[in-house]
Amino acid sequence: MPAVLITGAQWGDEGKGRATDLLGSRVDYVVKFNGGNNAGHTVVVGEEKYALHLLPSGILTPGVVPVIGNGVVVDLGVLQQELDALSSRGVDVSRLRVSANAHVITAYHRTLDKVTERFLGKRQIGTTGRGIGPAYADKINRVGIRIQDIFDESILRQKVEAALEFKNQVLVKIYNRRAIEADEVIADLLSFREMLEPMVCDTGLLLHRAMRDDRTVLFEAGQATMLDIDHGTYPFVTSSNATAGGASTGSGLPPHQLDRIIAVIKAYTTRVGAGPFPTELFDENGEHLAQVGHEYGTTTGRPRRCGWYDAPIARYAARINGVTDFVLTKLDVLSGLDTIPVCVAYDVNGVRHDEMPVNQSDFHHAKPVYEEFPGWSEDISGARRFEELPKNAQDYILALEAMSGSRISAIGVGPEREQVVVRHDLLG
Ligand code: GDP
Ligand code: IMO
Ligand code: MG
């Protein structure tokens, strides 16, 4: 089983980090191929809780080679902080490899992210403010700075000066902010040269050789299907491809090499930031999900919006990614509810939609068509086999499986490493 992808089926925070950790030592390489430190993955190992943003969660597994691919945007200050924090807790980070072609997030990207959001007022996206969108915009505009530029000071200077010539006009004249000094940006980037030296390489070649040698490579997406720049709820999305296709462009491995595509999906739905969310709840059930599920963002600490499971979204994710397996997380959070509604279709101005409507206004106006399932009151966190789950929980899973477009191979019944029910081997 050489190459496996893990992505999110919903709007992020499905438990991708946790799913990566589940595969643990059976994987040789873990590759981040999109996004940057807008991601937030929480992994609980025994008494230890790790919150990772930029680094792939696979860094926690001894022996794994973590890789930051060319599709990632890297804030070097954050990279240094995360590496230092992990080292001080005894995690070996020496194997990390970073693509020479990955773009960097600089001070002007962070500033522009914040000021453009403020400028948008009530039309704002609710970004994480980490400079992600502006860094990707520069990449597409062909005025970005890549990691390899840091190793050639004169090229770096030319590129930073060229970028700032335009950006400073925008910052000063439109946003009424002070101009950013090229010298400061350059000095900041150069200060990471020594840290980067041993890590930077041609990660595409590294992964090609890994595949040739029959190593197992795991791709770990940041964000998720509904936040994907092409397939998500645009413009309320992130600025990269979190779906399966992104793994190829963001790493340099050809698409046919992906054998297994795993989408992590919560047993209900959450979303951070603005944008449409048909099953969103504003009542005590929403409160239940938020409180019991501890639904606060790992990156920004913002409360996550909560709602019921949305099967059209699951089917959409299955189709867009070519999902072979779902990992259903946080089933334990539903314990104690009398009935559990599941959205099976949408009603848009009296017309039933079984699939995601193509028109954004239709999705904004979509009213969920619910089917109700009986709940269970038992604590399920100790279950390790499907048969150990209450009958109603089993039926809930089987119903989701029937309507979601792929099999549900593992079920999270608690945040800890071993709190999982495995029905089908994710690598076998
Ligand atoms: P990611 O961004 O997809 O990696 O997910 P996050 O780490 O941002 O959010 C998922 C949260 O759910 C984390 O706090 C996990 O510890 C927690 N979690 C994951 N799986 C389960 C589960 O099955 N049950 C419970 N109760 N919590 C879980
Ligand atoms: P993980 O990997 C949840 C959301 C932000 C905002 C939108 C754009 O932990 O699942 P950005 O800063 O990326 O330009 O913000 O995307 N967002 C996430 N929501 N989980 C994430 O990552 C997210 N990364 C970005 O809240 O609505
Ligand atoms: Mg997260």
Side-chain angles (χ1 to χ4, degrees):
M1 187 54 61
V4 183
L5 169 89
I6 289 183
T7 188
Q10 299 156 321
W11 280 286
D13 304 324
E14 296 90 349
K16 296 175 292 289
R18 191 275 164 98
T20 297
D21 187 61
L22 192 66
L23 301 179
S25 53
R26 297 170 69 195
V27 168
D28 302 301
Y29 292 77
V30 175
V31 187
K32 181 175 170 101
F33 60 87
N34 77 304
N37 55 314
N38 48 347
H41 307 302
T42 305
V43 182
V44 184
V45 186
E47 298 291 292
E48 298 286 311
K49 186 165 166 181
Y50 297 91
L52 296 163
H53 298 288
L54 175 58
L55 292 166
S57 318
I59 198 151
L60 298 174
T61 307
V64 162
V65 180
V67 177
I68 291 182
N70 56 276
V72 176
V73 285
V74 183
D75 185 321
L76 293 164
V78 172
L79 179 63
Q80 183 157 51
Q81 282 162 24
E82 286 199 3
L83 291 173
D84 289 350
L86 288 176
S87 298
S88 70
R89 292 172 74 178
V91 177
D92 176 12
V93 297
S94 64
R95 281 179 304 274
L96 177 70
R97 293 294 173 268
V98 179
S99 169
N101 288 346
H103 282 245
V104 295
I105 299 175
T106 68
Y108 51 84
H109 298 121
R110 289 188 294 267
T111 300
L112 281 166
D113 195 354
K114 289 182 189 125
V115 294
T116 44
E117 278 282 281
R118 210 168 302 149
F119 201 70
L120 282 170
K122 52 182 206 321
R123 286 177 298 123
Q124 71 180 22
I125 309 291
T127 72
T128 59
R130 303 294 192 262
I132 306 293
Y136 278 116
D138 277 4
K139 172 178 173 174
I140 301 300
N141 251 337
R142 295 162 296 189
V143 291
I145 313 292
R146 296 191 294 175
I147 298 260
Q148 60 176 287
D149 298 329
I150 294 169
F151 295 91
D152 187 329
E153 193 172 335
S154 89
I155 284 188
L156 180 67
R157 175 164 294 280
Q158 284 173 40
K159 290 191 175 180
V160 171
E161 283 175 352
L164 276 177
E165 206 170 312
F166 174 73
K167 286 187 206 320
N168 276 335
Q169 301 268 350
V170 174
L171 280 173
V172 173
K173 294 188 181 153
I174 298 178
Y175 295 116
N176 209 14
R177 302 280 297 217
R178 76 172 179 89
I180 289 175
E181 295 292 332
D183 284 344
E184 281 174 26
V185 174
I186 294 163
D188 179 57
L189 292 174
L190 289 174
S191 72
F192 297 106
R193 206 159 148 166
E194 209 175 306
M195 170 188 80
L196 287 170
E197 197 113 45
M199 311 173 183
V200 176
C201 70
D202 179 344
T203 48
L205 181 62
L206 179 79
L207 294 172
H208 167 80
R209 290 184 173 149
M211 294 297 289
R212 183 196 62 193
D213 297 341
D214 224 16
R215 298 279 183 259
T216 301
V217 178
L218 174 65
F219 291 91
E220 183 189 293
Q223 295 78 51
T225 306
M226 301 306 282
L227 286 173
D228 183 281
I229 183 80
D230 284 279
H231 303 291
T233 47
Y234 191 89
F236 301 101
V237 292
T238 190
S239 299
S240 68
N241 289 111
T243 45
S248 178
T249 50
S251 72
L253 268 197
H256 70 273
Q257 289 194 304
L258 277 181
D259 313 84
R260 200 75 173 256
I261 296 174
I262 299 166
V264 186
I265 190 161
K266 273 182 203 177
Y268 50 97
T269 312
T270 63
R271 171 162 210 172
V272 199
F277 180 178
T279 63
E280 184 169 14
L281 292 167
F282 301 96
D283 59 8
E284 65 281 9
N285 285 317
E287 249 331 272
H288 172 101
L289 300 175
Q291 293 310 320
V292 181
H294 302 292
E295 296 296 354
Y296 295 90
T298 311
T299 299
T300 54
R302 289 179 288 177
R304 296 176 182 146
R305 301 157 64 192
C306 297
W308 299 122
Y309 188 88
D310 186 323
I313 285 179
R315 282 197 292 277
Y316 181 70
R319 171 160 63 85
I320 294 288
N321 294 291
V323 171
T324 56
D325 303 79
F326 279 114
V327 172
L328 184 75
T329 55
K330 300 194 118 171
L331 186 69
D332 52 299
V333 175
L334 299 181
S335 299
L337 295 168
D338 290 337
T339 53
I340 307 169
V342 170
C343 168
V344 296
Y346 305 121
D347 178 320
V348 182
N349 304 321
V351 179
R352 183 182 167 111
H353 287 246
D354 287 296
E355 300 298 330
M356 277 282 297
V358 68
N359 187 302
Q360 59 181 353
S361 309
D362 286 350
F363 192 63
H364 277 261
H365 294 123
K367 298 263 175 298
V369 177
Y370 283 121
E371 202 175 304
E372 305 241 338
F373 292 85
W376 58 90
S377 54
E378 296 91 329
D379 174 3
I380 60 168
S381 60
R384 296 294 173 268
R385 290 188 309 118
F386 189 70
E387 298 72 32
E388 290 167 15
L389 292 167
K391 175 78 170 54
N392 286 352
Q394 292 185 19
D395 288 346
Y396 180 73
I397 294 162
L398 295 175
L400 297 192
E401 185 168 70
M403 60 178 95
S404 301
S406 190
R407 65 183 187 177
I408 294 173
S409 295
I411 300 134
V413 292
E416 285 171 32
R417 204 172 236 184
E418 69 281 5
Q419 287 180 317
V420 66
V421 171
V422 178
R423 295 175 76 208
H424 306 284
D425 186 356
L426 291 170
L427 290 181

